[in-house]
Amino acid sequence: MVINTRLFGEITVDEETKITFPGGIIGFPDLQQFILIHDEDKKDGGIRWLQSVEEPTFAMPVVDPLMVCEDYNPSVDESFLEKIGEAKDEELLILNTITVPSDITKMTVNLKAPFIINATSKKACQVIIENYDVKFPVYEILKSRKESE
C-alpha cells in the first residue's frame, strides 16, 4: 500500500502493518487507520510516528513510556481492552505522545492518554489514565540516557 504523508512524502507500507483504532483517537474519532513509522537503525525504538493513513497531514510523535518513566504501569479497565481483542501482556504495545516545542528543554510526554496496541490483532485504543501527568517533563531524562550510551 502506498500512502502520501506530509512529513515523510510518499511511502510504501505493508497492508498488514496497518493499525486500526475502532473508535478513533481522542479528539479525532474519524481517524481510525494508522501506521507506525520508526527508525529501524535505533535499537531502543526512540521516537516513532503514528501516521494516519486517512489524513496525510496527521502524524504524532510517540515514544515507549518506559524510556522516560521506568515505573509506568497504568491500570486499564478491561472493557477498553476488549475492543482490541484478547492479548497477553507481551503482545500489547503502549505508546505515548511526545511534545517537542521550539524550546527543546520543555519537551514533555503525555502519560495520561496512552495508545494501547494489540500487536496480534493490529487493533488499538486510546485511554485516559488517572494519576499520571499530561505534561511529564522528559528532556533531562532523555539527555542523561543519551549521555550514558
Side-chain angles (χ1 to χ4, degrees):
M1 157 176 81
V2 176
I3 63 170
N4 288 307
T5 69
R6 179 179 62 87
L7 295 174
F8 308 103
E10 189 175 273
I11 58 173
T12 303
V13 293
D14 186 344
E15 182 81 33
E16 293 179 14
T17 63
K18 189 166 46 173
I19 301 165
T20 302
F21 286 78
I25 60 174
I26 296 170
F28 302 91
D30 295 335
L31 298 182
Q32 299 181 356
Q33 303 293 313
F34 290 84
I35 57 167
L36 194 57
I37 300 172
H38 61 282
D39 184 346
E40 304 212 3
D41 295 332
K42 298 264 186 185
K43 291 182 178 97
D44 63 6
I47 295 177
R48 306 173 201 180
W49 293 84
L50 196 58
Q51 170 68 55
S52 170
V53 172
E54 298 131 329
E55 176 52 57
T57 62
F58 191 89
M60 294 182 297
V62 292
V63 68
D64 179 337
L66 296 178
M67 284 184 61
V68 295
C69 183
E70 292 178 5
D71 62 346
Y72 188 70
N73 189 16
S75 177
V76 179
D77 188 300
E78 288 295 319
S79 64
F80 287 109
L81 298 180
E82 288 172 3
K83 298 174 188 176
I84 64 173
E86 209 170 299
K88 298 177 184 142
D89 286 347
E90 59 271 12
E91 297 170 324
L92 296 176
L93 174 62
I94 298 176
L95 296 171
N96 298 73
T97 55
I98 187 165
T99 302
V100 184
S102 56
D103 179 356
I104 197 166
T105 64
K106 306 279 191 232
M107 185 182 336
T108 61
V109 169
N110 179 349
L111 296 178
K112 192 168 196 66
F115 299 107
I116 302 174
I117 302 167
N118 180 330
T120 304
S121 71
K122 300 289 192 263
K123 288 188 179 177
C125 63
Q126 186 178 22
V127 297
I128 300 294
I129 306 295
E130 298 301 321
N131 304 323
Y132 281 101
D133 294 330
V134 172
K135 293 187 178 220
F136 181 76
V138 295
Y139 176 77
E140 290 299 326
I141 295 168
L142 294 175
K143 181 179 173 188
S144 66
R145 184 182 176 107
K146 188 172 184 171
E147 288 170 355
S148 68
E149 290 177 354

